[in-house]
PDB file of all heavy atoms in Angstrom:
ATOM      1  N   LEU A   1     -12.232  -7.755  -3.901  1.00  0.00           N
ATOM      2  CA  LEU A   1     -10.808  -8.009  -4.156  1.00  0.00           C
ATOM      3  C   LEU A   1     -10.236  -7.028  -5.170  1.00  0.00           C
ATOM      4  O   LEU A   1      -9.053  -6.679  -5.101  1.00  0.00           O
ATOM      5  CB  LEU A   1     -10.597  -9.459  -4.600  1.00  0.00           C
ATOM      6  CG  LEU A   1     -11.001  -9.901  -6.002  1.00  0.00           C
ATOM      7  CD1 LEU A   1      -9.849  -9.769  -6.983  1.00  0.00           C
ATOM      8  CD2 LEU A   1     -11.488 -11.347  -5.985  1.00  0.00           C
ATOM      9  N   LEU A   2     -11.058  -6.548  -6.126  1.00  0.00           N
ATOM     10  CA  LEU A   2     -10.550  -5.590  -7.110  1.00  0.00           C
ATOM     11  C   LEU A   2     -10.475  -4.178  -6.543  1.00  0.00           C
ATOM     12  O   LEU A   2      -9.575  -3.413  -6.887  1.00  0.00           O
ATOM     13  CB  LEU A   2     -11.418  -5.621  -8.370  1.00  0.00           C
ATOM     14  CG  LEU A   2     -11.328  -6.899  -9.203  1.00  0.00           C
ATOM     15  CD1 LEU A   2     -12.278  -6.847 -10.385  1.00  0.00           C
ATOM     16  CD2 LEU A   2      -9.903  -7.143  -9.686  1.00  0.00           C
ATOM     17  N   VAL A   3     -11.426  -3.809  -5.683  1.00  0.00           N
ATOM     18  CA  VAL A   3     -11.374  -2.499  -5.033  1.00  0.00           C
ATOM     19  C   VAL A   3     -10.101  -2.360  -4.209  1.00  0.00           C
ATOM     20  O   VAL A   3      -9.488  -1.288  -4.145  1.00  0.00           O
ATOM     21  CB  VAL A   3     -12.623  -2.273  -4.158  1.00  0.00           C
ATOM     22  CG1 VAL A   3     -12.376  -1.208  -3.100  1.00  0.00           C
ATOM     23  CG2 VAL A   3     -13.797  -1.841  -5.024  1.00  0.00           C
ATOM     24  N   ASP A   4      -9.668  -3.468  -3.586  1.00  0.00           N
ATOM     25  CA  ASP A   4      -8.500  -3.386  -2.708  1.00  0.00           C
ATOM     26  C   ASP A   4      -7.190  -3.162  -3.450  1.00  0.00           C
ATOM     27  O   ASP A   4      -6.166  -2.907  -2.817  1.00  0.00           O
ATOM     28  CB  ASP A   4      -8.412  -4.654  -1.844  1.00  0.00           C
ATOM     29  CG  ASP A   4      -8.983  -4.418  -0.462  1.00  0.00           C
ATOM     30  OD1 ASP A   4     -10.149  -3.991  -0.371  1.00  0.00           O
ATOM     31  OD2 ASP A   4      -8.264  -4.631   0.533  1.00  0.00           O
ATOM     32  N   VAL A   5      -7.215  -3.258  -4.795  1.00  0.00           N
ATOM     33  CA  VAL A   5      -6.026  -2.907  -5.558  1.00  0.00           C
ATOM     34  C   VAL A   5      -5.834  -1.390  -5.554  1.00  0.00           C
ATOM     35  O   VAL A   5      -4.721  -0.884  -5.408  1.00  0.00           O
ATOM     36  CB  VAL A   5      -6.131  -3.432  -7.002  1.00  0.00           C
ATOM     37  CG1 VAL A   5      -4.930  -2.973  -7.832  1.00  0.00           C
ATOM     38  CG2 VAL A   5      -6.219  -4.952  -7.008  1.00  0.00           C
ATOM     39  N   SER A   6      -6.941  -0.638  -5.708  1.00  0.00           N
ATOM     40  CA  SER A   6      -6.839   0.812  -5.877  1.00  0.00           C
ATOM     41  C   SER A   6      -7.247   1.617  -4.652  1.00  0.00           C
ATOM     42  O   SER A   6      -6.904   2.790  -4.540  1.00  0.00           O
ATOM     43  CB  SER A   6      -7.708   1.253  -7.062  1.00  0.00           C
ATOM     44  OG  SER A   6      -9.066   0.890  -6.859  1.00  0.00           O
ATOM     45  N   ILE A   7      -7.969   1.004  -3.723  1.00  0.00           N
ATOM     46  CA  ILE A   7      -8.495   1.762  -2.584  1.00  0.00           C
ATOM     47  C   ILE A   7      -7.376   2.267  -1.675  1.00  0.00           C
ATOM     48  O   ILE A   7      -7.524   3.270  -0.976  1.00  0.00           O
ATOM     49  CB  ILE A   7      -9.497   0.894  -1.781  1.00  0.00           C
ATOM     50  CG1 ILE A   7     -10.374   1.767  -0.883  1.00  0.00           C
ATOM     51  CG2 ILE A   7      -8.774  -0.170  -0.962  1.00  0.00           C
ATOM     52  CD1 ILE A   7     -11.502   1.001  -0.211  1.00  0.00           C
ATOM     53  N   VAL A   8      -6.231   1.577  -1.714  1.00  0.00           N
ATOM     54  CA  VAL A   8      -5.127   1.909  -0.816  1.00  0.00           C
ATOM     55  C   VAL A   8      -4.417   3.199  -1.233  1.00  0.00           C
ATOM     56  O   VAL A   8      -3.906   3.938  -0.387  1.00  0.00           O
ATOM     57  CB  VAL A   8      -4.129   0.724  -0.762  1.00  0.00           C
ATOM     58  CG1 VAL A   8      -2.856   1.119  -0.033  1.00  0.00           C
ATOM     59  CG2 VAL A   8      -4.768  -0.472  -0.083  1.00  0.00           C
ATOM     60  N   ASN A   9      -4.401   3.489  -2.540  1.00  0.00           N
ATOM     61  CA  ASN A   9      -3.574   4.593  -3.039  1.00  0.00           C
ATOM     62  C   ASN A   9      -3.851   5.922  -2.351  1.00  0.00           C
ATOM     63  O   ASN A   9      -2.928   6.644  -1.961  1.00  0.00           O
ATOM     64  CB  ASN A   9      -3.768   4.750  -4.552  1.00  0.00           C
ATOM     65  CG  ASN A   9      -3.058   3.662  -5.342  1.00  0.00           C
ATOM     66  OD1 ASN A   9      -2.116   3.043  -4.852  1.00  0.00           O
ATOM     67  ND2 ASN A   9      -3.520   3.415  -6.545  1.00  0.00           N
ATOM     68  N   VAL A  10      -5.140   6.271  -2.197  1.00  0.00           N
ATOM     69  CA  VAL A  10      -5.459   7.579  -1.638  1.00  0.00           C
ATOM     70  C   VAL A  10      -5.210   7.650  -0.133  1.00  0.00           C
ATOM     71  O   VAL A  10      -5.190   8.743   0.446  1.00  0.00           O
ATOM     72  CB  VAL A  10      -6.923   7.966  -1.941  1.00  0.00           C
ATOM     73  CG1 VAL A  10      -7.128   8.154  -3.422  1.00  0.00           C
ATOM     74  CG2 VAL A  10      -7.891   6.925  -1.396  1.00  0.00           C
ATOM     75  N   ALA A  11      -5.020   6.491   0.511  1.00  0.00           N
ATOM     76  CA  ALA A  11      -4.777   6.484   1.955  1.00  0.00           C
ATOM     77  C   ALA A  11      -3.293   6.476   2.300  1.00  0.00           C
ATOM     78  O   ALA A  11      -2.934   6.562   3.481  1.00  0.00           O
ATOM     79  CB  ALA A  11      -5.454   5.254   2.597  1.00  0.00           C
ATOM     80  N   LEU A  12      -2.411   6.403   1.286  1.00  0.00           N
ATOM     81  CA  LEU A  12      -0.974   6.257   1.560  1.00  0.00           C
ATOM     82  C   LEU A  12      -0.387   7.401   2.389  1.00  0.00           C
ATOM     83  O   LEU A  12       0.368   7.138   3.339  1.00  0.00           O
ATOM     84  CB  LEU A  12      -0.214   6.108   0.242  1.00  0.00           C
ATOM     85  CG  LEU A  12      -0.403   4.770  -0.493  1.00  0.00           C
ATOM     86  CD1 LEU A  12       0.327   4.802  -1.829  1.00  0.00           C
ATOM     87  CD2 LEU A  12       0.085   3.604   0.354  1.00  0.00           C
ATOM     88  N   PRO A  13      -0.670   8.669   2.082  1.00  0.00           N
ATOM     89  CA  PRO A  13      -0.081   9.729   2.914  1.00  0.00           C
ATOM     90  C   PRO A  13      -0.481   9.627   4.384  1.00  0.00           C
ATOM     91  O   PRO A  13       0.351   9.840   5.271  1.00  0.00           O
ATOM     92  CB  PRO A  13      -0.619  11.014   2.266  1.00  0.00           C
ATOM     93  CG  PRO A  13      -0.846  10.653   0.839  1.00  0.00           C
ATOM     94  CD  PRO A  13      -1.366   9.241   0.899  1.00  0.00           C
ATOM     95  N   GLN A  14      -1.760   9.312   4.657  1.00  0.00           N
ATOM     96  CA  GLN A  14      -2.190   9.187   6.048  1.00  0.00           C
ATOM     97  C   GLN A  14      -1.549   7.972   6.714  1.00  0.00           C
ATOM     98  O   GLN A  14      -1.173   8.024   7.883  1.00  0.00           O
ATOM     99  CB  GLN A  14      -3.716   9.080   6.124  1.00  0.00           C
ATOM    100  CG  GLN A  14      -4.266   9.362   7.517  1.00  0.00           C
ATOM    101  CD  GLN A  14      -5.769   9.332   7.572  1.00  0.00           C
ATOM    102  OE1 GLN A  14      -6.357   8.380   8.065  1.00  0.00           O
ATOM    103  NE2 GLN A  14      -6.415  10.379   7.061  1.00  0.00           N
ATOM    104  N   MET A  15      -1.419   6.880   5.969  1.00  0.00           N
ATOM    105  CA  MET A  15      -0.714   5.697   6.496  1.00  0.00           C
ATOM    106  C   MET A  15       0.721   6.045   6.860  1.00  0.00           C
ATOM    107  O   MET A  15       1.238   5.645   7.910  1.00  0.00           O
ATOM    108  CB  MET A  15      -0.686   4.574   5.449  1.00  0.00           C
ATOM    109  CG  MET A  15      -1.965   3.829   5.246  1.00  0.00           C
ATOM    110  SD  MET A  15      -1.681   2.520   4.013  1.00  0.00           S
ATOM    111  CE  MET A  15      -3.364   1.989   3.727  1.00  0.00           C
ATOM    112  N   SER A  16       1.380   6.764   5.959  1.00  0.00           N
ATOM    113  CA  SER A  16       2.777   7.126   6.174  1.00  0.00           C
ATOM    114  C   SER A  16       2.952   7.915   7.462  1.00  0.00           C
ATOM    115  O   SER A  16       3.866   7.662   8.255  1.00  0.00           O
ATOM    116  CB  SER A  16       3.297   7.936   4.983  1.00  0.00           C
ATOM    117  OG  SER A  16       4.608   8.382   5.193  1.00  0.00           O
ATOM    118  N   THR A  17       2.063   8.876   7.705  1.00  0.00           N
ATOM    119  CA  THR A  17       2.141   9.700   8.912  1.00  0.00           C
ATOM    120  C   THR A  17       1.837   8.885  10.163  1.00  0.00           C
ATOM    121  O   THR A  17       2.533   8.985  11.173  1.00  0.00           O
ATOM    122  CB  THR A  17       1.158  10.876   8.798  1.00  0.00           C
ATOM    123  OG1 THR A  17       1.491  11.651   7.638  1.00  0.00           O
ATOM    124  CG2 THR A  17       1.222  11.767  10.028  1.00  0.00           C
ATOM    125  N   ASP A  18       0.793   8.065  10.076  1.00  0.00           N
ATOM    126  CA  ASP A  18       0.339   7.306  11.247  1.00  0.00           C
ATOM    127  C   ASP A  18       1.340   6.226  11.652  1.00  0.00           C
ATOM    128  O   ASP A  18       1.595   5.997  12.839  1.00  0.00           O
ATOM    129  CB  ASP A  18      -1.023   6.689  10.946  1.00  0.00           C
ATOM    130  CG  ASP A  18      -1.724   6.178  12.198  1.00  0.00           C
ATOM    131  OD1 ASP A  18      -1.309   6.561  13.302  1.00  0.00           O
ATOM    132  OD2 ASP A  18      -2.686   5.398  12.069  1.00  0.00           O
ATOM    133  N   LEU A  19       1.904   5.532  10.665  1.00  0.00           N
ATOM    134  CA  LEU A  19       2.801   4.407  10.945  1.00  0.00           C
ATOM    135  C   LEU A  19       4.275   4.793  10.867  1.00  0.00           C
ATOM    136  O   LEU A  19       5.142   3.934  11.078  1.00  0.00           O
ATOM    137  CB  LEU A  19       2.526   3.268   9.941  1.00  0.00           C
ATOM    138  CG  LEU A  19       1.107   2.689   9.947  1.00  0.00           C
ATOM    139  CD1 LEU A  19       0.971   1.614   8.880  1.00  0.00           C
ATOM    140  CD2 LEU A  19       0.756   2.116  11.319  1.00  0.00           C
ATOM    141  N   HIS A  20       4.571   6.071  10.552  1.00  0.00           N
ATOM    142  CA  HIS A  20       5.957   6.540  10.431  1.00  0.00           C
ATOM    143  C   HIS A  20       6.741   5.657   9.459  1.00  0.00           C
ATOM    144  O   HIS A  20       7.877   5.249   9.733  1.00  0.00           O
ATOM    145  CB  HIS A  20       6.651   6.561  11.799  1.00  0.00           C
ATOM    146  CG  HIS A  20       5.887   7.327  12.844  1.00  0.00           C
ATOM    147  ND1 HIS A  20       5.786   8.698  12.851  1.00  0.00           N
ATOM    148  CD2 HIS A  20       5.152   6.900  13.910  1.00  0.00           C
ATOM    149  CE1 HIS A  20       5.043   9.099  13.869  1.00  0.00           C
ATOM    150  NE2 HIS A  20       4.647   8.025  14.528  1.00  0.00           N
ATOM    151  N   SER A  21       6.124   5.374   8.326  1.00  0.00           N
ATOM    152  CA  SER A  21       6.711   4.435   7.378  1.00  0.00           C
ATOM    153  C   SER A  21       7.559   5.152   6.342  1.00  0.00           C
ATOM    154  O   SER A  21       7.368   6.337   6.059  1.00  0.00           O
ATOM    155  CB  SER A  21       5.612   3.635   6.675  1.00  0.00           C
ATOM    156  OG  SER A  21       4.682   4.488   6.066  1.00  0.00           O
ATOM    157  N   SER A  22       8.473   4.416   5.756  1.00  0.00           N
ATOM    158  CA  SER A  22       9.350   4.948   4.716  1.00  0.00           C
ATOM    159  C   SER A  22       8.676   4.825   3.354  1.00  0.00           C
ATOM    160  O   SER A  22       7.637   4.189   3.202  1.00  0.00           O
ATOM    161  CB  SER A  22      10.666   4.163   4.699  1.00  0.00           C
ATOM    162  OG  SER A  22      10.423   2.817   4.322  1.00  0.00           O
ATOM    163  N   PHE A  23       9.323   5.438   2.346  1.00  0.00           N
ATOM    164  CA  PHE A  23       8.811   5.333   0.987  1.00  0.00           C
ATOM    165  C   PHE A  23       8.797   3.877   0.525  1.00  0.00           C
ATOM    166  O   PHE A  23       7.850   3.419  -0.119  1.00  0.00           O
ATOM    167  CB  PHE A  23       9.668   6.184   0.052  1.00  0.00           C
ATOM    168  CG  PHE A  23       9.291   6.068  -1.399  1.00  0.00           C
ATOM    169  CD1 PHE A  23       8.074   6.535  -1.843  1.00  0.00           C
ATOM    170  CD2 PHE A  23      10.176   5.500  -2.312  1.00  0.00           C
ATOM    171  CE1 PHE A  23       7.719   6.439  -3.186  1.00  0.00           C
ATOM    172  CE2 PHE A  23       9.833   5.406  -3.650  1.00  0.00           C
ATOM    173  CZ  PHE A  23       8.608   5.873  -4.089  1.00  0.00           C
ATOM    174  N   THR A  24       9.838   3.123   0.866  1.00  0.00           N
ATOM    175  CA  THR A  24       9.898   1.712   0.500  1.00  0.00           C
ATOM    176  C   THR A  24       8.738   0.937   1.116  1.00  0.00           C
ATOM    177  O   THR A  24       8.126   0.082   0.462  1.00  0.00           O
ATOM    178  CB  THR A  24      11.238   1.099   0.952  1.00  0.00           C
ATOM    179  OG1 THR A  24      12.309   1.778   0.296  1.00  0.00           O
ATOM    180  CG2 THR A  24      11.297  -0.383   0.620  1.00  0.00           C
ATOM    181  N   SER A  25       8.402   1.232   2.361  1.00  0.00           N
ATOM    182  CA  SER A  25       7.279   0.550   3.014  1.00  0.00           C
ATOM    183  C   SER A  25       5.970   0.848   2.301  1.00  0.00           C
ATOM    184  O   SER A  25       5.118  -0.038   2.130  1.00  0.00           O
ATOM    185  CB  SER A  25       7.181   0.974   4.480  1.00  0.00           C
ATOM    186  OG  SER A  25       8.315   0.574   5.202  1.00  0.00           O
ATOM    187  N   LEU A  26       5.783   2.106   1.880  1.00  0.00           N
ATOM    188  CA  LEU A  26       4.562   2.456   1.153  1.00  0.00           C
ATOM    189  C   LEU A  26       4.466   1.669  -0.152  1.00  0.00           C
ATOM    190  O   LEU A  26       3.384   1.211  -0.539  1.00  0.00           O
ATOM    191  CB  LEU A  26       4.539   3.950   0.848  1.00  0.00           C
ATOM    192  CG  LEU A  26       4.331   4.915   2.016  1.00  0.00           C
ATOM    193  CD1 LEU A  26       4.259   6.349   1.501  1.00  0.00           C
ATOM    194  CD2 LEU A  26       3.056   4.581   2.775  1.00  0.00           C
ATOM    195  N   GLN A  27       5.588   1.505  -0.841  1.00  0.00           N
ATOM    196  CA  GLN A  27       5.578   0.718  -2.073  1.00  0.00           C
ATOM    197  C   GLN A  27       5.138  -0.712  -1.796  1.00  0.00           C
ATOM    198  O   GLN A  27       4.344  -1.289  -2.546  1.00  0.00           O
ATOM    199  CB  GLN A  27       6.967   0.707  -2.713  1.00  0.00           C
ATOM    200  CG  GLN A  27       7.353   2.014  -3.392  1.00  0.00           C
ATOM    201  CD  GLN A  27       8.732   1.916  -4.007  1.00  0.00           C
ATOM    202  OE1 GLN A  27       9.736   1.989  -3.309  1.00  0.00           O
ATOM    203  NE2 GLN A  27       8.788   1.747  -5.311  1.00  0.00           N
ATOM    204  N   TRP A  28       5.627  -1.280  -0.696  1.00  0.00           N
ATOM    205  CA  TRP A  28       5.287  -2.662  -0.380  1.00  0.00           C
ATOM    206  C   TRP A  28       3.830  -2.809   0.041  1.00  0.00           C
ATOM    207  O   TRP A  28       3.211  -3.845  -0.219  1.00  0.00           O
ATOM    208  CB  TRP A  28       6.212  -3.213   0.704  1.00  0.00           C
ATOM    209  CG  TRP A  28       7.518  -3.700   0.177  1.00  0.00           C
ATOM    210  CD1 TRP A  28       8.756  -3.208   0.446  1.00  0.00           C
ATOM    211  CD2 TRP A  28       7.714  -4.781  -0.729  1.00  0.00           C
ATOM    212  NE1 TRP A  28       9.709  -3.912  -0.243  1.00  0.00           N
ATOM    213  CE2 TRP A  28       9.099  -4.884  -0.967  1.00  0.00           C
ATOM    214  CE3 TRP A  28       6.855  -5.672  -1.373  1.00  0.00           C
ATOM    215  CZ2 TRP A  28       9.640  -5.851  -1.825  1.00  0.00           C
ATOM    216  CZ3 TRP A  28       7.386  -6.631  -2.237  1.00  0.00           C
ATOM    217  CH2 TRP A  28       8.763  -6.710  -2.451  1.00  0.00           C
ATOM    218  N   VAL A  29       3.254  -1.792   0.676  1.00  0.00           N
ATOM    219  CA  VAL A  29       1.835  -1.858   1.046  1.00  0.00           C
ATOM    220  C   VAL A  29       0.990  -2.028  -0.219  1.00  0.00           C
ATOM    221  O   VAL A  29       0.027  -2.806  -0.245  1.00  0.00           O
ATOM    222  CB  VAL A  29       1.407  -0.589   1.817  1.00  0.00           C
ATOM    223  CG1 VAL A  29      -0.111  -0.532   1.952  1.00  0.00           C
ATOM    224  CG2 VAL A  29       2.048  -0.571   3.201  1.00  0.00           C
ATOM    225  N   VAL A  30       1.323  -1.304  -1.275  1.00  0.00           N
ATOM    226  CA  VAL A  30       0.590  -1.415  -2.537  1.00  0.00           C
ATOM    227  C   VAL A  30       1.000  -2.680  -3.285  1.00  0.00           C
ATOM    228  O   VAL A  30       0.161  -3.418  -3.820  1.00  0.00           O
ATOM    229  CB  VAL A  30       0.852  -0.178  -3.414  1.00  0.00           C
ATOM    230  CG1 VAL A  30       0.127  -0.307  -4.743  1.00  0.00           C
ATOM    231  CG2 VAL A  30       0.415   1.089  -2.700  1.00  0.00           C
ATOM    232  N   ASP A  31       2.298  -2.943  -3.331  1.00  0.00           N
ATOM    233  CA  ASP A  31       2.851  -3.966  -4.205  1.00  0.00           C
ATOM    234  C   ASP A  31       2.635  -5.388  -3.703  1.00  0.00           C
ATOM    235  O   ASP A  31       2.484  -6.308  -4.507  1.00  0.00           O
ATOM    236  CB  ASP A  31       4.350  -3.731  -4.377  1.00  0.00           C
ATOM    237  CG  ASP A  31       4.738  -3.652  -5.843  1.00  0.00           C
ATOM    238  OD1 ASP A  31       3.827  -3.670  -6.688  1.00  0.00           O
ATOM    239  OD2 ASP A  31       5.940  -3.569  -6.134  1.00  0.00           O
ATOM    240  N   MET A  32       2.655  -5.592  -2.391  1.00  0.00           N
ATOM    241  CA  MET A  32       2.619  -6.954  -1.862  1.00  0.00           C
ATOM    242  C   MET A  32       1.344  -7.683  -2.282  1.00  0.00           C
ATOM    243  O   MET A  32       1.375  -8.877  -2.630  1.00  0.00           O
ATOM    244  CB  MET A  32       2.742  -6.924  -0.334  1.00  0.00           C
ATOM    245  CG  MET A  32       2.834  -8.316   0.297  1.00  0.00           C
ATOM    246  SD  MET A  32       4.242  -9.282  -0.317  1.00  0.00           S
ATOM    247  CE  MET A  32       5.580  -8.557   0.634  1.00  0.00           C
ATOM    248  N   TYR A  33       0.227  -6.981  -2.263  1.00  0.00           N
ATOM    249  CA  TYR A  33      -1.043  -7.596  -2.641  1.00  0.00           C
ATOM    250  C   TYR A  33      -1.004  -8.058  -4.097  1.00  0.00           C
ATOM    251  O   TYR A  33      -1.334  -9.214  -4.413  1.00  0.00           O
ATOM    252  CB  TYR A  33      -2.165  -6.574  -2.424  1.00  0.00           C
ATOM    253  CG  TYR A  33      -3.547  -7.062  -2.752  1.00  0.00           C
ATOM    254  CD1 TYR A  33      -4.128  -8.108  -2.060  1.00  0.00           C
ATOM    255  CD2 TYR A  33      -4.293  -6.454  -3.755  1.00  0.00           C
ATOM    256  CE1 TYR A  33      -5.413  -8.552  -2.357  1.00  0.00           C
ATOM    257  CE2 TYR A  33      -5.572  -6.877  -4.060  1.00  0.00           C
ATOM    258  CZ  TYR A  33      -6.128  -7.919  -3.355  1.00  0.00           C
ATOM    259  OH  TYR A  33      -7.401  -8.340  -3.648  1.00  0.00           O
ATOM    260  N   ALA A  34      -0.586  -7.174  -5.007  1.00  0.00           N
ATOM    261  CA  ALA A  34      -0.527  -7.527  -6.427  1.00  0.00           C
ATOM    262  C   ALA A  34       0.515  -8.608  -6.692  1.00  0.00           C
ATOM    263  O   ALA A  34       0.315  -9.497  -7.530  1.00  0.00           O
ATOM    264  CB  ALA A  34      -0.211  -6.288  -7.262  1.00  0.00           C
ATOM    265  N   LEU A  35       1.630  -8.555  -5.966  1.00  0.00           N
ATOM    266  CA  LEU A  35       2.695  -9.540  -6.168  1.00  0.00           C
ATOM    267  C   LEU A  35       2.233 -10.941  -5.794  1.00  0.00           C
ATOM    268  O   LEU A  35       2.450 -11.907  -6.539  1.00  0.00           O
ATOM    269  CB  LEU A  35       3.922  -9.147  -5.344  1.00  0.00           C
ATOM    270  CG  LEU A  35       5.116 -10.108  -5.391  1.00  0.00           C
ATOM    271  CD1 LEU A  35       5.635 -10.240  -6.818  1.00  0.00           C
ATOM    272  CD2 LEU A  35       6.217  -9.631  -4.457  1.00  0.00           C
ATOM    273  N   VAL A  36       1.592 -11.077  -4.642  1.00  0.00           N
ATOM    274  CA  VAL A  36       1.114 -12.404  -4.210  1.00  0.00           C
ATOM    275  C   VAL A  36       0.017 -12.902  -5.152  1.00  0.00           C
ATOM    276  O   VAL A  36      -0.034 -14.083  -5.499  1.00  0.00           O
ATOM    277  CB  VAL A  36       0.620 -12.349  -2.752  1.00  0.00           C
ATOM    278  CG1 VAL A  36      -0.025 -13.668  -2.353  1.00  0.00           C
ATOM    279  CG2 VAL A  36       1.784 -12.035  -1.820  1.00  0.00           C
ATOM    280  N   LEU A  37      -0.874 -11.992  -5.584  1.00  0.00           N
ATOM    281  CA  LEU A  37      -1.879 -12.372  -6.577  1.00  0.00           C
ATOM    282  C   LEU A  37      -1.201 -12.945  -7.820  1.00  0.00           C
ATOM    283  O   LEU A  37      -1.584 -14.015  -8.319  1.00  0.00           O
ATOM    284  CB  LEU A  37      -2.708 -11.155  -6.973  1.00  0.00           C
ATOM    285  CG  LEU A  37      -4.007 -10.871  -6.221  1.00  0.00           C
ATOM    286  CD1 LEU A  37      -4.637  -9.589  -6.754  1.00  0.00           C
ATOM    287  CD2 LEU A  37      -4.982 -12.016  -6.348  1.00  0.00           C
ATOM    288  N   ALA A  38      -0.198 -12.246  -8.328  1.00  0.00           N
ATOM    289  CA  ALA A  38       0.485 -12.675  -9.549  1.00  0.00           C
ATOM    290  C   ALA A  38       1.179 -14.015  -9.349  1.00  0.00           C
ATOM    291  O   ALA A  38       1.127 -14.890 -10.214  1.00  0.00           O
ATOM    292  CB  ALA A  38       1.499 -11.617  -9.980  1.00  0.00           C
TER     293      ALA A  38
END
């Protein structure tokens, strides 16, 4: 569960290209996990 906080960061550019996502979507991919935890 702790690895999944940071493991996503280095994959964001590839996610963005593959899913054609916006900058806001990338923020939510990282943020949603921490937000629900909090």
Side-chain angles (χ1 to χ4, degrees):
L1 74 92
L2 291 177
V3 159
D4 261 55
V5 176
S6 59
I7 198 172
V8 170
N9 285 338
V10 294
L12 288 176
Q14 197 177 105
M15 285 182 190
S16 176
T17 301
D18 194 16
L19 300 178
H20 307 288
S21 55
S22 65
F23 176 66
T24 299
S25 296
L26 289 183
Q27 286 180 283
W28 278 116
V29 169
V30 178
D31 234 6
M32 185 59 79
Y33 181 63
L35 177 61
V36 173
L37 267 178

